[in-house]
Amino acid sequence: MSDLSKKSGVSWLRRLAEGWLPSGSPEVRLFLLLMAIGLTIRVMIMPFFGHIDFFSEHRRIHGLHEHGGWYPGSRFVTTTVERLNYAMVAPLLPEASSMFDVVDLKATTASHLEYFAFVRHRTVMRAVFLLKIPYLLFDLATALMIFRMFGGSRIGIRGAAMWLFNPVTLFAFYVFGRYEAIVIAFMVMAVWMLWDRKYIWSACGFGMALWSREIMMLLLPFFLIAYWRSPFMGWMKKAGVTLILAVFALFAANVLPRMLGMESILAGGDRSLAEFSQARQILGFQIVWYFPFVSVCLMLVYHLLMVRSSDIEGAFLKTLGMFFCLLFVFTIHSVHYVAWSMGVLIMLAAMHPEVAKAWGLFCLAWVAFWLVGTDLGVFTQWLAAPFSLWVVNLPTIPYVIERYVLKSLAFDWNMVIGAMRSVYAGALLICFWKVLRSDKAVDSSGMKGVQS
Amino acid sequence: MINTCFKLALLLVALCASLAELEAQVGDFPLVTVNDIETGADGWMRVSAGDPYLVFNVGNPSILDMALVNVRFESRDALSDLSYTEWFWATGSHGFSEAFKGFAILRTDAGESADHYQQLELGRFLRRYESPDDKLQVLRIDIMPGFVGSFRIKLSGTVEKSPSKLTDLHPTYIGSHLFDGKLLRMASGRILPDFVGRLMKDPLFAVLYLGSVSACWVLIWSAWRRWKAIAGCSKHE
């Protein structure tokens, strides 16, 4: 190679890529193959699905784009990423005005009738395809981070494969069509950086996750304890990461934007984005068994406080995994929320075969529960696609079970839903237990060896 | 394994056949309509574009927990422009009296005759989420403002005896024809033209989508070759 080419930008990029993913390594090549397959699956399904929430979200983004405003409150990061993407693809959306136009920007949550008007557009598939590009990028970046977190080893490949092919995130990002991919990518970055003891980067990553979705506030105590208890940074750095998180949290809770008078065109109204950005909304998360949940969270905090400080990274990861398991045991939640847990649980599952089995069971239980817990409408009916089961009139699984099985038995549908919810909760508790016991298999110090 | 699958398939067919017998026992029942919709001698109601919505009041709520709406279009084109939404008003133990329950997109195939109609089952959502005592009482259908033309609606309380294209896709039918390819042909007869139609209507999307998917397959092929090369080397070593 000539000196000229060595100095060129291409060569610099190649060296950077080689530093990150050395192409001679069999693990890297396998990872790239998995990424290519994962990318293909995603691209193939991207244009055909989108829940009504996807439409509502992009009406807001269209409004911001048209009116030139910014929204500095909670979900700023997701909104900004989506808006930047919207600005880039807008020339390719000729019907955007009629597709996304909304009279009152303070009430952007779409009705089903409006959703139908959206679906009727000739270029709806193009729009859905293009508007999901940020989700695809953050999703693939998460797979890369998980792979890198484990030093590009076999464990990293296992983790990346679990991420790329699990049904939960595929559904949440590409069928339901939510921006959770952005939130989770920042959360995974925060965990990875903490694992690598790059605390400032970790705090910035978690801050971005907070500013992407205010529900991440529930994880704030765990991150703070992990930072404070780490023996690998001094007091100055600890104060620094605390300050970083405090600033992000104040933005995410919409306190600073209000104090600074940064009102948005989306603010106000009963169902506006501003309402969702209130810190109180975090506790509006329907925690039905509130006191057991809080009690168990306190136990987890206690566990994290009491563990040996030299084991803090491993203990932190386990605690987050257990937290997510319990969150979904104790709460009524939407089908796609489960995606939040996937980053952390997959990291643990990649390291511990027993957790991997429990995680697989959890994914299966999730599919089974939502097959009966809701109509297939969640999967197929609210789609910007011609593949709605209503169109072909194929019977849905709940319909068949209800009409032909339950009719002859002494069950009603609510009993089936209740039973499947119990199975789902059981799978989560098994996952919780396996995560709790996971230090018996490969402990955090062992994993540090993998990294090196 | 193949034998087991074959036996299971036969069992499924037998089960479906017995269910078809059960189906025939469901009886007709009358429905009362409101909203001053003009009704023809054949029981079909003519609806013109611009009607904001239709309201059907079901006569005896203790009987009806499911209704079948047959929609027959007079126009062969512009049918994909029609969508409508169903609302059910129900009273019962749940304590609320208004609930959104479902909706559907209707469209016909090119060349379909005016005698054909599409059928929708309403009420299954109601039975899913509410108490078993709740019955469908009033059905409201909102017509999308973009609809051009007119159509007719008939409500009936049972599965139509006369076969239509979509009643043929009833589960019993699926069970009976699972293995002769007919179902696949019928399903593909609706899905593929729709998908291809959308691609034809939006050539830029066709280029974007097919180009991206093709590029992805090239990536897979390339990554596979690179991985296989190194895997082959390590095997020889």
Side-chain angles (χ1 to χ4, degrees):
Chain A
M1 192 182 291
S2 69
D3 288 345
L4 187 66
S5 67
K6 279 182 184 171
K7 285 175 186 171
S8 69
V10 176
S11 174
W12 179 80
L13 272 176
R14 187 175 295 165
R15 280 204 304 277
L16 184 72
E18 276 291 313
W20 264 64
L21 293 171
S23 59
S25 153
E27 283 81 13
V28 169
R29 290 192 180 189
L30 182 55
F31 169 71
L32 290 176
L33 176 62
L34 293 174
M35 283 282 268
I37 297 170
L39 174 67
T40 307
I41 293 171
R42 284 156 173 77
V43 168
M44 285 178 78
I45 63 175
M46 264 167 71
F48 306 118
F49 305 98
H51 187 267
I52 192 168
D53 284 3
F54 174 85
F55 172 51
S56 299
E57 173 71 5
H58 285 93
R59 291 209 316 183
R60 288 191 275 272
I61 301 303
H62 172 77
L64 284 174
H65 179 75
E66 289 294 304
H67 293 82
W70 291 90
Y71 188 67
S74 71
R75 304 188 188 181
F76 169 78
V77 177
T78 44
T79 309
T80 305
V81 168
E82 287 174 327
R83 197 183 153 193
L84 289 174
N85 178 64
Y86 190 92
M88 281 192 281
V89 301
L92 300 175
L93 301 175
E95 295 182 292
S97 296
S98 63
M99 229 182 232
F100 298 114
D101 198 30
V102 56
V103 177
D104 182 7
L105 272 175
K106 294 182 172 70
T108 51
T109 302
S111 71
H112 295 94
L113 213 57
E114 290 168 326
Y115 180 76
F116 268 118
F118 166 66
V119 171
R120 278 190 321 119
H121 283 85
R122 185 176 56 86
T123 56
V124 64
M125 285 182 178
R126 189 201 306 181
V128 172
F129 184 72
L130 293 171
L131 294 174
K132 281 183 187 168
I133 288 173
Y135 309 161
L136 178 71
L137 296 178
F138 277 87
D139 180 16
L140 295 180
T142 306
L144 179 63
M145 285 190 280
I146 291 173
F147 180 65
R148 289 277 301 162
M149 178 176 169
F150 299 113
S153 64
R154 283 270 156 186
I155 294 176
I157 288 178
R158 208 182 302 152
M162 286 176 186
W163 177 263
L164 287 168
F165 305 113
N166 80 83
V168 179
T169 53
L170 279 174
F171 171 80
F173 306 160
Y174 304 104
V175 177
F176 206 93
R178 288 289 282 184
Y179 49 65
E180 312 297 342
I182 301 167
V183 185
I184 296 166
F186 282 117
M187 188 176 69
V188 165
M189 176 191 162
V191 173
W192 172 32
M193 290 291 110
L194 193 147
W195 184 265
D196 268 5
R197 294 168 189 162
K198 294 172 181 164
Y199 297 103
I200 300 290
W201 283 107
S202 172
C204 290
F206 184 63
M208 294 291 272
L210 268 180
W211 213 6
S212 301
R213 216 183 201 300
E214 64 277 11
I215 193 73
M216 289 295 126
M217 207 78 84
L218 288 174
L219 303 183
L220 187 59
F222 302 113
F223 271 91
L224 282 175
I225 294 172
Y227 294 144
W228 289 337
R229 295 218 54 222
S230 173
F232 306 106
M233 65 173 161
W235 284 107
M236 287 291 285
K237 216 170 190 178
K238 285 179 183 176
V241 293
T242 307
L243 185 66
I244 289 170
L245 287 186
V247 172
F248 274 114
L250 287 173
F251 267 107
N254 212 20
V255 175
L256 270 184
R258 287 194 173 200
M259 282 172 62
L260 299 173
M262 294 190 284
E263 277 298 313
S264 164
I265 51 172
L266 294 177
D270 288 338
R271 295 185 61 77
S272 69
L273 206 64
E275 185 205 16
F276 294 112
S277 68
Q278 301 302 310
R280 64 184 165 80
Q281 284 294 319
I282 294 163
L283 295 178
F285 198 67
Q286 296 178 43
I287 301 172
V288 283
W289 299 338
Y290 189 79
F291 292 110
F293 177 71
V294 172
S295 309
V296 176
C297 279
L298 286 175
M299 286 162 62
L300 290 177
V301 167
Y302 179 77
H303 164 75
L304 202 54
L305 281 170
M306 289 299 112
V307 76
R308 277 185 306 169
S309 60
S310 56
D311 292 340
I312 194 71
E313 293 102 347
F316 167 73
L317 195 56
K318 277 173 52 179
T319 307
L320 277 195
M322 290 188 284
F323 168 81
F324 277 122
C325 290
L326 293 173
L327 179 69
F328 297 123
V329 169
F330 288 119
T331 58
I332 294 171
H333 52 272
S334 181
V335 58
H336 62 290
Y337 286 2
V338 177
W340 301 335
S341 68
M342 285 295 121
V344 170
L345 286 180
I346 282 172
M347 287 172 188
L348 288 159
M351 288 189 277
H352 308 290
E354 285 300 312
V355 177
K357 287 178 198 163
W359 172 81
L361 183 69
F362 166 40
C363 288
L364 285 176
W366 174 84
V367 172
F369 170 51
W370 286 105
L371 278 178
V372 300
T374 181
D375 193 89
L376 278 188
V378 168
F379 294 90
T380 56
Q381 198 169 329
W382 294 356
L383 309 181
F387 301 114
S388 164
L389 291 190
W390 267 119
V391 176
V392 293
N393 214 28
L394 291 171
T396 61
I397 291 175
Y399 171 82
V400 171
I401 295 173
E402 186 182 17
R403 185 153 187 172
Y404 299 115
V405 179
L406 298 184
K407 214 171 185 178
S408 56
L409 300 173
F411 292 120
D412 68 24
W413 192 251
N414 287 329
M415 292 166 75
V416 176
I417 292 173
M420 284 314 298
R421 181 67 175 85
S422 304
V423 170
Y424 175 68
L428 279 163
L429 287 173
I430 291 170
C431 216
F432 172 87
W433 177 248
K434 292 295 179 185
V435 171
L436 181 68
R437 304 276 297 168
S438 58
D439 54 346
K440 302 280 187 212
V442 182
D443 62 19
S444 60
S445 56
M447 281 314 304
K448 289 290 175 189
V450 170
Q451 286 183 76
S452 61
Chain B
M1 184 68 182
I2 292 170
N3 280 341
T4 310
C5 289
F6 184 70
K7 284 172 187 168
L8 281 175
L10 284 178
L11 189 65
L12 185 66
V13 171
L15 183 68
C16 290
S18 64
L19 288 172
E21 288 302 312
L22 284 177
E23 196 65 45
Q25 295 169 13
V26 180
D28 286 309
F29 45 84
L31 297 169
V32 178
T33 62
V34 295
N35 206 20
D36 297 329
I37 301 294
E38 179 191 338
T39 308
D42 57 353
W44 288 77
M45 288 166 290
R46 188 185 186 86
V47 181
S48 301
D51 283 337
Y53 53 85
L54 308 173
V55 176
F56 302 97
N57 193 355
V58 177
N60 187 346
S62 66
I63 293 174
L64 183 64
D65 61 356
M66 177 175 285
L68 294 166
V69 175
N70 300 326
V71 182
R72 192 160 69 177
F73 299 92
E74 291 184 349
S75 163
R76 291 187 189 181
D77 300 320
L79 297 178
S80 61
D81 287 332
L82 173 71
S83 300
Y84 73 83
T85 311
E86 308 150 15
W87 273 268
F88 294 80
W89 274 260
T91 54
S93 55
H94 51 75
F96 61 86
S97 60
E98 180 179 343
F100 168 77
K101 291 302 172 189
F103 48 81
I105 304 173
L106 297 177
R107 55 176 64 113
T108 59
D109 296 334
E112 191 172 58
S113 83
D115 292 334
H116 285 90
Y117 55 84
Q118 300 195 37
Q119 193 172 69
L120 297 161
E121 290 187 348
L122 309 178
R124 62 199 182 94
F125 293 95
L126 189 74
R127 287 175 295 127
R128 169 81 40 76
Y129 293 108
E130 319 310 338
S131 76
D133 297 333
D134 290 337
K135 301 292 178 187
L136 178 66
Q137 286 186 310
V138 178
L139 161 68
R140 172 177 145 169
I141 299 180
D142 284 52
I143 302 162
M144 290 295 292
F147 174 68
V148 179
S150 63
F151 62 94
R152 296 180 289 192
I153 290 180
K154 179 184 183 182
L155 278 178
S156 71
T158 182
V159 174
E160 290 291 317
K161 297 293 188 299
S162 55
S164 71
K165 178 179 281 186
L166 288 177
T167 45
D168 284 348
L169 281 174
H170 192 269
T172 53
Y173 184 90
I174 291 168
S176 309
H177 295 86
L178 203 54
F179 304 102
D180 65 5
K182 191 172 179 182
L183 174 72
L184 187 64
R185 283 199 299 277
M186 289 182 69
S188 61
R190 294 188 72 80
I191 294 172
L192 285 180
D194 199 356
F195 175 63
V196 174
R198 288 200 182 218
L199 285 181
M200 297 287 279
K201 281 181 194 167
D202 188 358
L204 181 58
F205 169 65
V207 171
L208 274 173
Y209 181 68
L210 297 176
S212 308
V213 171
S214 307
C216 285
W217 282 105
V218 172
L219 271 178
I220 290 180
W221 176 75
S222 165
W224 166 254
R225 281 195 59 181
R226 286 168 63 82
W227 180 67
K228 204 179 167 193
I230 205 165
C233 287
S234 60
K235 196 181 276 183
H236 287 302
E237 284 164 9

